[in-house]
Amino acid sequence: MRVLVDMDGVLADMDAGLERDWQALYGDEPLIPTEDRMGAHFAGGHPADRVRRLRSVAAAPGFFLSLPPIAGSVESVTAMREMGIDVFICSTPLSEYEHCVTEKYQWVEGHLGREWTRRLILTSDKTLVRGDVLIDDKPEVKGLDVPSWEHVVFDQPYNRHVTGKRRLDWMNWRFVLLGSDEN
Amino acid sequence: MRVLVDMDGVLADMDAGLERDWQALYGDEPLIPTEDRMGAHFAGGHPADRVRRLRSVAAAPGFFLSLPPIAGSVESVTAMREMGIDVFICSTPLSEYEHCVTEKYQWVEGHLGREWTRRLILTSDKTLVRGDVLIDDKPEVKGLDVPSWEHVVFDQPYNRHVTGKRRLDWMNWRFVLLGSDEN
């Protein structure tokens, strides 16, 4: 089994980083709520200036590197590999790629080890990557191809409306993916 | 048709960059010959210290960004897109990723335009990426999967021994890929 694992909102806590850096810059000014944020893919209907400033927060140097891991994420993908699952991290960089791309490699090296940087795939279209499962927090993952993978939703507040797809978090992934908590 | 195009030795002139920077650092000391270099995938049988120093040349800041385009490469991939071919650039970063990954995006932006950075895929395993054709200068492109693409060899001095595969350069690609020089 090959499992593709999304990075922002699945391994790295994008929400925590946005909230931390927004507050540092803009204090009590309200942030776009998490259910409209979906990482950095902001829903419409918010003031253009606020959206622009929030994108700037994500594009700033040090943002990606400083994201805390989502609890259990590092341990879970490490455990997957130990049980023989072929794991690749599959991430779409911001179009403001300048800091983001190197920092994604650095984040993987820092939290998972340098050998894992060979398991990082950067692509704007995940349907072009072959796998059995893609664990992703986006409600829908679209691209040019019919995906080869099954989209398993990584549970987040902004994707609770999604039905008809398997859903997991880093507590129950063994049961959802393998049908057993045994391993 | 989706065409995946390798970057080093196909779009960007890795050989020219290695020769230029090696000479600047080490003057007349002989460089590992191009047929043993294959980009930065050096063949065995050369002094370990020389291989290490040559890798350092490729890993240095500014190396990838400063590579000249291979003659005709930029015009060819631009023409492919204009005729409706779905083109993605598919590149394996050095394991010394620190400068290489951002500079690959910068190179694509500088020579092809920012919109093309969404068409750059970074992966250590190209067999995981779906396409009809992969244009690559490596004699063999291996990975975990049976490729979905046909490997079309981009003609270079170090792959002339390869037989049984289609071979192209930026002069004859229309004829090789499309069977016609008409477009």
Side-chain angles (χ1 to χ4, degrees):
Chain A
M1 175 157 62
R2 179 178 309 135
V3 175
L4 310 173
V5 184
D6 176 34
M7 196 162 171
D8 305 325
V10 176
L11 294 178
D13 197 340
M14 184 94 172
D15 267 352
L18 286 173
E19 283 165 17
R20 176 197 61 199
D21 292 357
W22 178 269
Q23 197 175 31
L25 279 168
Y26 304 113
D28 288 341
E29 184 183 346
L31 179 58
I32 294 170
T34 181
E35 60 272 22
D36 283 1
R37 236 155 46 209
M38 297 179 290
H41 309 275
F42 309 124
H46 294 281
D49 172 65
R50 190 170 292 163
V51 170
R52 189 188 53 72
R53 284 184 292 151
L54 191 53
R55 276 200 83 89
S56 297
V57 165
F63 178 78
F64 279 93
L65 184 55
S66 70
L67 293 180
I70 288 182
S73 67
V74 166
E75 298 78 2
S76 299
V77 294
T78 304
M80 281 182 198
R81 287 214 40 218
E82 282 167 1
M83 64 179 71
I85 297 175
D86 184 26
V87 184
F88 281 83
I89 302 167
C90 193
S91 181
T92 299
L94 293 184
S95 54
E96 301 89 341
Y97 64 78
E98 281 73 3
H99 305 292
C100 155
V101 294
T102 307
E103 291 187 19
K104 281 179 180 287
Y105 282 81
Q106 290 173 322
W107 193 97
V108 168
E109 176 168 1
H111 291 283
L112 286 158
R114 189 153 181 111
E115 185 262 343
W116 272 86
T117 62
R118 306 308 283 169
R119 298 190 162 267
L120 176 57
I121 299 174
L122 297 187
T123 178
S124 67
D125 188 331
K126 297 183 185 180
T127 67
L128 271 56
V129 183
R130 302 159 93 185
D132 299 298
V133 162
L134 170 69
I135 300 174
D136 202 298
D137 62 320
K138 276 184 87 172
E140 270 201 288
V141 183
K142 288 187 175 175
L144 293 170
D145 272 2
V146 176
S148 58
W149 32 257
E150 173 196 353
H151 176 204
V152 175
V153 177
F154 185 80
D155 188 53
Q156 286 282 14
Y158 43 83
N159 60 36
R160 297 266 158 79
H161 61 287
V162 175
T163 55
K165 293 181 183 176
R166 293 198 289 171
R167 168 180 299 273
L168 63 66
D169 58 36
W170 295 131
M171 297 292 284
N172 69 11
W173 67 270
R174 281 182 176 81
F175 187 76
V176 175
L177 282 190
L178 311 169
S180 157
D181 276 326
E182 290 295 305
N183 279 292
Chain B
M1 174 157 65
R2 179 177 308 136
V3 175
L4 310 174
V5 184
D6 176 33
M7 197 161 169
D8 305 325
V10 176
L11 294 177
D13 197 341
M14 185 96 174
D15 267 352
L18 286 173
E19 283 165 18
R20 175 197 62 198
D21 292 357
W22 179 268
Q23 197 175 29
L25 279 168
Y26 303 114
D28 288 340
E29 184 183 342
L31 179 58
I32 294 170
T34 181
E35 61 271 22
D36 284 0
R37 234 153 50 209
M38 297 180 288
H41 309 274
F42 309 123
H46 294 281
D49 172 64
R50 190 170 292 165
V51 170
R52 190 189 51 73
R53 283 184 292 150
L54 191 53
R55 276 199 83 88
S56 297
V57 166
F63 177 78
F64 279 92
L65 184 54
S66 71
L67 293 180
I70 288 182
S73 66
V74 167
E75 297 78 3
S76 300
V77 294
T78 304
M80 280 183 198
R81 287 213 40 218
E82 281 167 0
M83 64 178 72
I85 297 175
D86 184 26
V87 184
F88 281 83
I89 301 167
C90 192
S91 181
T92 299
L94 293 184
S95 54
E96 301 88 342
Y97 63 78
E98 280 73 5
H99 304 291
C100 154
V101 294
T102 307
E103 292 188 17
K104 282 179 179 288
Y105 282 81
Q106 290 173 322
W107 193 99
V108 168
E109 177 169 0
H111 292 281
L112 286 159
R114 188 151 181 113
E115 184 263 343
W116 272 86
T117 61
R118 305 308 284 170
R119 298 189 162 269
L120 176 56
I121 299 174
L122 297 187
T123 178
S124 67
D125 187 331
K126 297 183 185 181
T127 68
L128 271 56
V129 182
R130 301 159 93 185
D132 299 298
V133 162
L134 171 69
I135 301 173
D136 203 299
D137 62 319
K138 277 183 87 171
E140 268 202 289
V141 183
K142 289 188 175 174
L144 293 170
D145 271 1
V146 176
S148 58
W149 32 255
E150 173 196 354
H151 175 203
V152 175
V153 177
F154 185 80
D155 187 53
Q156 286 282 14
Y158 43 81
N159 60 37
R160 297 267 157 79
H161 61 287
V162 176
T163 55
K165 293 181 183 176
R166 293 199 289 170
R167 168 180 301 272
L168 63 66
D169 58 36
W170 295 130
M171 297 292 285
N172 69 9
W173 68 270
R174 281 180 176 84
F175 187 76
V176 175
L177 282 190
L178 310 169
S180 158
D181 276 325
E182 290 296 304
N183 279 291

